[in-house]
Amino acid sequence: MVDPVAASRLQFAVTTIVHIIFPVMSMGLAPFLIYFTWKEIRTGEAVYEQLRRFWVKIFAVSFVVGTVTGLVLEFEFGTNFAAFSTFAGELFGGPLATEGMMAFMLEATFLGIFLYGRERVSDTFYFLTSVAVGLGTWLSAVWILIANSWMQTPRGYELVNEGGQEVVHLTDPMAAYLNPRFQYMFIHMQNSAVESVALFMAGVAAYFVYKHHVRGDEVENAAFWVKTLKIAIVALVITAPLQVLHGDLYARHVYETQPQKFAAMEALWETDTYVPEYIIAFPTDPSHILDPRAKELFGIGIPGGASWLASGGNPQAEIRGLNSFEAAAPPVAIVFWAFRIMVGLGFWFILLAFWAAFRWYRGDLVDDDLLHKAFMGSSLLGIVAVETGWIVTEVGRQPWLIQDVLLTEQGVSTNLTGAEATFTLAGFVGGYALLLVLYTYVIRRIIKHGPPEIDEGSVERDAGTDAPPEAEVSVDD
């Protein structure tokens, strides 16, 4: 049987890796849906109603599956990490409860109106509904990231003895909730969600644009897909550079607050100066794949780049190596290669965004078959970048569950046996794999069915009026 500590960590990792897909889709789609609703009401153009009705289906499916998988994660704090829940429950429980009472209820309540109330409410109220849904989605991220960021940079607490057991006591809620890491995590996560959805939208749209304009196949609603592609490109031009620029600031903050994690990101074992930043790295020996060391790698990088990144501009700056820390090093190979993948994808997204913008400027957007293939191949890479980013965040913090306060092995449920942990691990792997397959099947069906047919007059009749139209709503919407 698997050791209960290892099984619990692996189970939480698997469930989180699958779960994060759905919040990324819903959080990333929220700004687009608000924009589509606003343009539909303001211009009366049928294509914006199509965009809203098509993409809200994917939003709704992602919201439902994300809710189910998110609840499982919260239960795991009790089943697999009960010691952690007891130790930090006073601080950790508040944000999780508030996320459910505030963000989830706001989102769930107004989503019903957003899905089925277009014909029953005024334009102004319907637009406010779209904003409420988007706000609820992003507020959910606020409270979850407050909890996680506190684990990275704990503040506003003291350790007290209650009933013979040492626990966290919240002394300054503002310092705890607005800890140094929170703003970095929130901006980086939300921007990556929008970027990931923009890539997904562009990849799906590029497939139909390629079929119609390059191969010459008949495609229904071809103009809809061109519009989708252009909107996604605009979003990418904004979010892709921002993600890399903010990532630079984020990495510097990590060095200042979690230097051991930063050393693992660079596979730096000995304290050194003028440390290069490898954008692309290759092991010179097969054994270095599982044991990467900065000085034994061949790659394309920036000389002194890691030192410059850590110090904020000095390529000669000294970086502490992993061997200088008393705590055991995190799994360096996982952190190092995940960081390389994330960074490499970040620069690829910038290239892709400006390549597409240039072709659009030249008037060749719909005819560039290589660009369409690049978008199709990159449609899910935003999700991959998010996954690898979270791997760096969570695995890089090891061996700590709460940085410098509680070790991971100390937070696992003390009465959990290896047999129980192995059984639930196997069950969750199978169950979540099936859930992911079903989600993929449903999303594929929505895309294959395409956008709904719209009567031009049905949108124009509402443009410029605030009165709810007299019409019946169709469940097919």
Side-chain angles (χ1 to χ4, degrees), residues 175-205:
Y177 292 171
L178 300 180
N179 62 79
R181 180 60 54 83
F182 170 69
Q183 62 169 319
Y184 291 95
M185 294 189 77
F186 182 75
I187 295 173
H188 211 63
M189 182 64 215
Q190 301 312 99
N191 189 73
S192 70
V194 177
E195 183 182 23
S196 298
V197 167
L199 284 162
F200 181 74
M201 292 173 67
V204 173

Side-chain angles (χ1 to χ4, degrees), residues 142-156:
V142 167
W143 294 107
I144 296 301
L145 292 177
I146 281 175
N148 188 277
S149 63
W150 182 83
M151 296 168 66
Q152 312 288 335
T153 54
R155 299 288 190 278

Side-chain angles (χ1 to χ4, degrees), residues 216-282:
D217 297 344
E218 186 64 30
V219 173
E220 294 183 7
N221 298 292
F224 169 89
W225 294 115
V226 173
K227 190 74 168 180
T228 301
L229 179 60
K230 290 180 176 179
I231 291 172
I233 290 170
V234 172
L236 281 173
V237 168
I238 297 171
T239 57
L242 177 59
Q243 192 70 0
V244 171
L245 292 173
H246 184 263
D248 172 74
L249 299 175
Y250 193 172
R252 192 170 307 148
H253 171 73
V254 169
Y255 176 74
E256 293 170 351
T257 55
Q258 294 177 299
Q260 187 176 24
K261 178 189 289 187
F262 189 89
M265 288 159 54
E266 303 299 338
L268 186 67
W269 290 87
E270 302 296 335
T271 301
D272 202 356
T273 60
Y274 199 62
V275 179
E277 178 63 55
Y278 289 108
I279 298 174
I280 301 174
F282 303 95

Side-chain angles (χ1 to χ4, degrees), residues 25-40:
M25 292 298 292
S26 58
M27 291 187 303
L29 277 170
F32 289 102
L33 292 174
I34 294 172
Y35 173 74
F36 297 154
T37 305
W38 175 69
K39 290 291 286 185
E40 174 192 345

